Amino acid sequence: MPKRQASAPQSVEEIQAQLAQLEANENALREALRAQQAAELAAFIDELREQIQARGYSLDDVVAQLSKGRRGRSARRASGDATRYVDPENPAQSYSRGPLPTWLREKMEAAGYDPADKAQRDEFKATYLQLAA
């Protein structure tokens, strides 16, 4: 196996200069990537417009149809329709979102669940609580 020749030791300034050059190269590459992504998106949008027109649809109608589902979900969230859970042992106690109420935290801990773990919170809600009607 051939021996590698040790390169001459570099000074701190030389290493810093190389790092600065690498950073400049990285920034240039990121900018080139952004520009390429923008160009490809523009080309894709042009293709979609051509397909929409070729099939005889109006761009406004297609956009309205695509937006329908998105608006519905945000409207539900904005109106406060969060999933609400009720304690089956005490229906006066309920929880929908936000910080866990003390009663829920205590029930989780008593059942061996960690209230800080989202997966365990979700499992506990599905197993021990009822969905409010």
Side-chain angles (χ1 to χ4, degrees):
M1 176 174 258
K3 280 188 166 182
R4 290 177 66 191
Q5 288 185 348
S7 60
Q10 295 179 320
S11 70
V12 170
E13 292 80 17
E14 289 171 330
I15 294 171
Q16 288 174 333
Q18 286 179 353
L19 284 172
Q21 183 60 48
L22 285 172
E23 187 176 335
N25 291 346
E26 180 183 11
N27 291 338
L29 283 171
R30 288 189 189 283
E31 185 54 39
L33 176 62
R34 277 192 283 278
Q36 184 62 32
Q37 287 173 327
E40 289 181 15
L41 178 61
F44 176 65
I45 289 172
D46 288 342
E47 288 175 31
L48 284 176
R49 286 176 197 238
E50 289 172 12
Q51 285 185 8
I52 290 168
Q53 289 175 353
R55 293 180 184 219
Y57 296 112
S58 147
L59 180 61
D60 292 336
D61 291 340
V62 171
V63 169
Q65 286 294 316
L66 289 172
S67 301
K68 259 187 187 178
R70 297 178 84 191
R71 249 185 271 137
R73 281 193 298 273
S74 3
R76 276 196 303 272
R77 283 192 187 130
S79 69
D81 282 348
T83 304
R84 212 167 63 92
Y85 297 93
V86 176
D87 179 1
E89 297 170 8
N90 182 355
Q93 298 182 131
S94 67
Y95 169 75
S96 59
R97 68 173 101 168
L100 292 179
T102 304
W103 68 266
L104 180 54
R105 183 174 298 280
E106 289 171 354
K107 277 186 156 300
M108 286 184 70
E109 289 169 349
Y113 288 85
D114 178 8
D117 185 313
K118 182 178 180 349
Q120 289 189 28
R121 286 193 309 267
D122 291 343
E123 182 182 330
F124 181 85
K125 290 186 284 188
T127 306
Y128 292 96
L129 301 180
Q130 293 176 339
L131 288 173

